[in-house]
């Protein structure tokens, strides 16, 4: 089994990546393969509303000039998907929103191709707005018929500078329990 994670932060290996890797360590203890794809520095733009995915139904976005189709390919082959984002103005980053809108539309155009995959949202923030970013990601999972494991708190970690989330003990615990519950759920499903 494999869990594929996407980090929507503009900062590679920042707090969001630390939180995702905390979830990974629990998944890996249970023998689940993990891979992290970081959007930082990569070309990715928003949906252009061409609606070609609805017509083509070829499981890919018709805009082929950026990393989006590579992301969709990786999502398609995974059993579980983690979408991680920092909080930017009380929502996800622009990179993560581009991934949600385009991968989400392609999935809907192709008989809900993420249906019954396990999905988890992970959010980093400095002070406020993470719950809104968390909801944004979960909206994709819900409308895609995905299955969502829970944790002891909403999946967020607090910190501003890179590494600061490591001081947020409750945030890290939330990630560890999320990893354990995600592994448990994946094993029940497969
Ligand atoms: C453009 C921008 C907007 C931000 N907006 C918020 C915000 O609304 N709320 C908040 O708590 N932190 C906000 N932050 C802080 C980041 O969410 C925080 O530093 C987070 O840990 C970054 O994660 P990263 O290291 O993975 O990039 C913002 C940071 C940037 C660069």
């Amino acid at each position: 089994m494999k869990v594929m994670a996407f980090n929507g932060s503009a900062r590679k290996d920042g707090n969001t990546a630390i939180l995702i890797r905390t979830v990974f360590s629990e998944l890996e203890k249970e023998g689940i393969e993990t891979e992290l794809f970081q959007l930082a520095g990569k070309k990715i733009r928003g949906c252009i509303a061409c609606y070609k995915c609805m017509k083509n139904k070829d499981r890919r976005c018709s805009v082929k000039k950026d990393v989006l189709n590579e992301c969709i390919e990786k999502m398609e082959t995974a059993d579980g998907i983690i979408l991680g984002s920092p909080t930017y103005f009380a929502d996800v980053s622009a990179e993560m929103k581009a991934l949600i809108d385009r991968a989400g539309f392609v999935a809907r155009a192709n008989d809900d191709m993420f249906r019954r995959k396990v999905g988890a949202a992970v959010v980093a923030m400095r002070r406020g707005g993470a719950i809104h970013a968390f909801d944004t990601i979960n909206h994709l999972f819900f409308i895609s018929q995905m299955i969502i494991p829970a944790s002891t708190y909403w999946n967020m970690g607090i910190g501003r500078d890179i590494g600061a989330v490591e001081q947020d003990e409750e945030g890290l615990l939330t990630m560890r329990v999320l990893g354990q519950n995600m592994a448990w759920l994946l094993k029940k499903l497969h």
Side-chain angles (χ1 to χ4, degrees), residues 68-85:
L68 201 276
N69 279 326
E70 191 184 339
C71 295
I72 292 179
E73 246 169 74
K74 287 177 183 291
M75 289 165 103
E76 200 179 5
T77 54
D79 304 291
I81 298 169
I82 295 174
L83 295 186
S85 179

Side-chain angles (χ1 to χ4, degrees), residues 4-151:
M4 188 67 224
F6 297 86
N7 177 10
S9 175
R11 286 201 302 204
K12 200 177 174 203
D13 296 321
N15 290 323
T16 311
I18 292 167
L19 296 172
I20 291 169
R21 288 191 173 112
T22 307
V23 182
F24 274 4
S25 66
E26 297 299 320
L27 292 167
E28 285 159 9
K29 275 185 210 164
E30 294 297 324
I32 295 166
E33 193 189 336
T34 60
E35 184 183 338
L36 175 59
F37 189 90
Q38 306 204 55
L39 296 174
K42 299 212 170 73
K43 207 169 139 190
I44 184 164
R45 62 149 297 138
C47 177
I48 61 165
C50 67
Y51 285 80
K52 284 188 185 152
C53 56
M54 294 287 172
K55 203 174 105 225
N56 296 343
K57 299 193 182 301
D58 61 355
R59 304 171 89 81
R60 295 294 175 265
C61 180
S62 69
V63 177
K64 307 204 186 290
K65 294 181 201 153
D66 61 13
V67 292
L68 201 276
N69 279 326
E70 191 184 339
C71 295
I72 292 179
E73 246 169 74
K74 287 177 183 291
M75 289 165 103
E76 200 179 5
T77 54
D79 304 291
I81 298 169
I82 295 174
L83 295 186
S85 179
T87 306
Y88 285 176
F89 286 86
D91 213 324
V92 295
S93 67
E95 288 87 343
M96 180 50 63
K97 190 66 168 77
L99 178 63
I100 288 171
D101 291 352
R102 288 172 63 196
F105 226 48
V106 169
R108 287 180 73 68
N110 291 277
D111 299 320
D112 287 335
M113 59 194 258
F114 303 145
R115 181 171 172 260
R116 295 183 185 161
K117 289 185 189 293
V118 173
V122 165
V123 179
M125 73 161 173
R126 180 187 71 86
R127 187 170 174 84
I131 199 74
H132 190 243
F134 179 72
D135 290 347
T136 293
I137 297 170
N138 281 316
H139 289 148
L140 171 72
F141 296 154
F142 274 102
I143 203 170
S144 303
Q145 301 189 50
M146 291 173 67
I147 301 167
I148 301 170
S151 187

